[in-house]
Amino acid sequence: MAELRRRTVLGALGAAGATAVVPIGSASGAPMLRTAADASATLVRGATFPEGVMAGVPRTDGATLWTRVPRGLFDGDAELAIVVSKQRDLSAPVIVQTVIAKKQWDGCVHFQAVGLDAGGEYFYQFRGQDAVSPVGRFQTLRPADSNQPVRIGFFTCQGFTEGYYATHRHLAQEDLDLVVCLGDYVYEATVPGVRGIDLNLYPQALPAMRAKYTSYRSDANLRAMHQQHAFLPLWDDHEFRNNYTLDNWTLPELFFKEKRSAAWHAWFERMPVPRYYPDDMTRIYRSLKLGRTVELFAIDSRQYKDDQPCNDGGGIVCAEADTPGRTLLGASQKSWLKEGLRTSGARWKVLANPTMLMGMVTGDAGERASMDTWDGYGAERTELLSLAAERVSDFVVVTGDDHDTYAGELWNTGFAPGTPGNPAGTRRAGVEFVVPSVSSTNTGDLKGSGGARTEEQNRLGHNPHVKLADLRQHGYGVLEVSQEEAVLNYRKVDKLTPSAAVSTSYRVKTVRGSSTLETL
């Protein structure tokens, strides 16, 4: 496969990413083909694209291309043209056709681009009669027989008011196959911060839930990241309510299930994801095969989940947490995941996992940090990790949610031998990397640097399987995977400075066949 020319694209796309609409006839650099579908007299006039463009859930032959054209009270559906090309200037297009931005979907478009080459770099644009969107780019998944290295970006937990998104400016400049959101893309409520106060707290209806995404995507850096990379989103809890499960959340709420359905509707509307028609319309778990190097399994840790044990406590000893039969995954998803891990032909099996899988002990009596993580679902965790230990080689988990940074070695019970007050593992099962939050409050924000360092030592002292703990930094992660090793590069970015630089704070490696970690 020809070497991808990603670096040559960044400057050109960066300028377009700062705007929501490019008028026809401006110095945009994109040729106005105006032939066939692109010349249709019925294309919408006066279109704007305030949330930019996205390419989601890449495949070997295409991706889901997304944009939004807002529709007013008296507007109907909007007709657009979509142009896809291997050329940055969109010449010699491979797709030119019309699409409809439906008012009932708040003007969102989900176009399934198909028939593209595996491992190819593509550029795309949505067009009305007199205005066009920014130009986006994405890479299709590598061919099935590819042994080439893979690079995946991961981010999580980006409370809008709590920090700036310099992280996304740097993610946009990374050389990546795709970017994964591990959950908490938007928050139902955030604390006041450097960007002011969130007045849209605990949205009660679909319009307010839609407004969350519009607000977050007012950030030019977030739009630029989406414009540059293929995207795979997962949800966690804050897209609706903190720590919600199958039947409820922490506080009683009238019409809980109806509001949850509205939150899911907004997520599917605003994310570049295909739906599982017609039988499983709310399913988000899936796998992506990146050649022979990686199979990426993305799971749903919310909609099938039993209530947390012991009243969703934290820092407690809870016998109920290990009761057999309790589930985080649900029966169908668990069966799919186990079968997929067992039969995968990829060298590395990578799990995109919203909440921490390894155990996290906080005290001498074996107190577990959170019942909302896999610590509250011990029997199912042991079932999954025992399978990994016995029948799955080279298993890597990348996790969000916690807001803090960890790296640890996975044992079949979730706990290494010597962990106080918890069942000691007998077999290694893989490794886990926990990436920091983009902006949401971490331990350092709450306790200061000194308090965070003290807690880091507490976590390392009570969890022999944990090899790295940093409770102070914000940023993102880049996973580099070759046939022989997987390395997580932890990128540190100050959330309080709009123009913050990026640095690599840690590089942690696991070698093929080892299920152990080494800090480089």
Side-chain angles (χ1 to χ4, degrees):
M1 183 180 69
E3 182 68 23
L4 295 177
R5 295 176 291 124
R6 296 173 182 154
R7 295 292 183 186
T8 66
V9 180
L10 292 170
L13 291 188
T19 64
V21 60
V22 181
I24 295 293
S26 74
S28 66
M32 295 299 107
L33 303 178
R34 299 306 171 195
T35 59
D38 194 34
S40 171
T42 56
L43 296 182
V44 67
R45 296 187 64 85
T48 62
F49 304 87
E51 297 180 40
V53 296
M54 295 187 285
V57 194
R59 309 179 307 274
T60 54
D61 72 338
T64 301
L65 305 183
W66 182 98
T67 195
R68 175 175 174 259
V69 177
R71 312 312 298 143
L73 181 62
F74 299 106
D75 292 331
D77 295 345
E79 184 177 336
L80 299 168
I82 175 73
V83 179
V84 182
S85 173
K86 286 190 171 184
Q87 306 303 316
R88 179 168 62 83
D89 67 359
L90 299 176
S91 59
V94 295
I95 296 174
V96 183
Q97 69 179 73
T98 56
V99 294
I100 302 298
K102 290 187 174 294
K103 186 172 183 176
Q104 73 180 77
W105 286 91
D106 202 29
C108 295
V109 174
H110 298 75
F111 174 73
Q112 301 304 321
V114 298
L116 307 182
D117 294 336
E121 183 180 35
Y122 287 90
F123 304 88
Y124 63 99
Q125 185 179 62
F126 293 91
R127 296 176 173 176
Q129 281 199 49
D130 55 350
V132 297
S133 75
V135 176
R137 75 162 288 282
F138 67 97
Q139 180 185 327
T140 54
L141 297 184
R142 297 177 183 274
D145 61 353
S146 171
N147 291 312
Q148 290 185 323
V150 168
R151 300 182 88 250
I152 305 172
F154 291 89
F155 75 92
T156 187
C157 303
Q158 54 175 13
F160 188 80
T161 62
E162 299 179 58
Y164 298 107
Y165 287 172
T167 277
H168 288 300
R169 186 176 75 254
H170 296 298
L171 262 172
Q173 296 171 22
E174 296 273 3
D175 184 9
L176 303 171
D177 289 83
L178 74 156
V179 171
V180 177
C181 175
L182 293 162
D184 296 343
Y185 185 98
V186 298
Y187 273 67
E188 83 284 25
T190 54
V191 298
V194 293
R195 295 213 244 195
I197 300 172
D198 181 2
L199 298 178
N200 184 10
L201 300 175
Y202 301 100
Q204 299 293 304
L206 180 59
M209 294 171 180
R210 287 168 164 167
K212 286 285 185 182
Y213 293 88
T214 301
S215 174
Y216 278 56
R217 290 186 187 145
S218 68
D219 188 284
N221 289 329
L222 179 58
R223 295 197 308 274
M225 181 277 292
H226 284 308
Q227 189 180 334
Q228 179 65 13
H229 296 302
F231 182 53
L232 175 63
L234 286 69
W235 62 38
D236 188 23
D237 53 346
H238 288 290
E239 289 85 358
F240 176 48
R241 296 289 188 268
N242 181 53
N243 287 12
Y244 81 88
T245 61
L246 175 65
D247 294 316
N248 56 50
W249 72 294
T250 308
L251 300 175
E253 182 165 1
L254 294 174
F255 305 110
F256 167 82
K257 290 186 176 180
E258 290 80 3
K259 293 173 186 176
R260 184 187 62 188
S261 293
W264 290 351
H265 178 105
W267 188 91
F268 279 108
E269 191 177 76
R270 284 310 208 274
M271 290 297 184
V273 296
R275 304 292 289 271
Y276 284 88
Y277 289 107
D279 300 323
D280 203 353
M281 292 286 286
T282 63
R283 172 178 165 176
I284 69 166
Y285 62 88
R286 52 174 48 90
S287 72
L288 277 62
K289 297 178 180 179
L290 289 85
R292 292 173 175 162
T293 305
V294 168
E295 183 166 2
L296 177 64
F297 296 87
I299 62 171
D300 180 347
S301 65
R302 286 294 151 194
Q303 70 169 304
Y304 313 110
K305 182 177 189 173
D306 288 336
D307 285 352
Q308 299 89 348
C310 297
N311 297 314
D312 196 12
I316 60 173
V317 174
C318 176
E320 183 188 349
D322 292 336
T323 301
R326 301 186 67 258
T327 185
L328 185 148
L329 295 172
S332 295
Q333 181 178 204
K334 181 169 67 175
S335 175
W336 163 85
L337 179 59
K338 290 172 67 176
E339 179 67 14
L341 291 173
R342 202 166 33 227
T343 61
S344 176
R347 168 62 61 201
W348 296 89
K349 279 63 67 178
V350 177
L351 180 67
N353 171 53
T355 59
M356 195 182 298
L357 183 57
M358 62 183 165
M360 185 56 65
V361 174
T362 60
D364 294 342
E367 298 94 330
R368 299 183 188 178
S370 172
M371 293 297 104
D372 186 55
T373 71
W374 284 87
D375 265 346
Y377 304 82
E380 188 169 71
R381 171 172 61 189
T382 296
E383 180 183 355
L384 178 62
L385 289 179
S386 294
L387 171 73
E390 295 165 10
R391 301 189 61 182
V392 181
S393 61
D394 304 318
F395 181 50
V396 173
V397 179
V398 186
T399 297
D401 176 64
D402 197 81
H403 301 188
D404 293 321
T405 299
Y406 294 98
E409 297 169 352
L410 292 168
W411 292 75
N412 58 320
T413 63
F415 302 96
T419 307
N422 282 279
T426 57
R427 297 192 63 183
R428 294 182 179 273
V431 300
E432 181 171 13
F433 302 111
V434 182
V435 300
S437 66
V438 171
S439 55
S440 299
T441 301
N442 66 12
T443 302
D445 296 330
L446 292 171
K447 296 184 176 182
S449 179
R453 290 181 185 275
T454 298
E455 187 59 26
E456 288 165 10
Q457 294 307 307
N458 177 53
R459 300 296 176 97
L460 291 167
H462 286 99
N463 297 275
H465 46 280
V466 174
K467 304 303 178 183
L468 168 67
D470 184 322
L471 282 58
R472 293 159 283 123
Q473 71 176 9
H474 294 278
Y476 62 100
V478 174
L479 182 68
E480 298 177 325
V481 189
S482 69
Q483 288 291 314
E484 298 303 319
E485 64 183 29
V487 178
L488 199 291
N489 300 275
Y490 291 91
R491 306 288 202 230
K492 179 180 178 181
V493 184
D494 180 12
K495 72 172 187 175
L496 301 179
T497 305
S499 59
V502 63
S503 62
T504 300
S505 53
Y506 308 97
R507 300 187 72 236
V508 185
K509 178 177 77 172
T510 184
V511 175
R512 172 180 169 183
S514 72
S515 294
T516 60
L517 292 175
E518 174 189 355
T519 300
L520 301 176

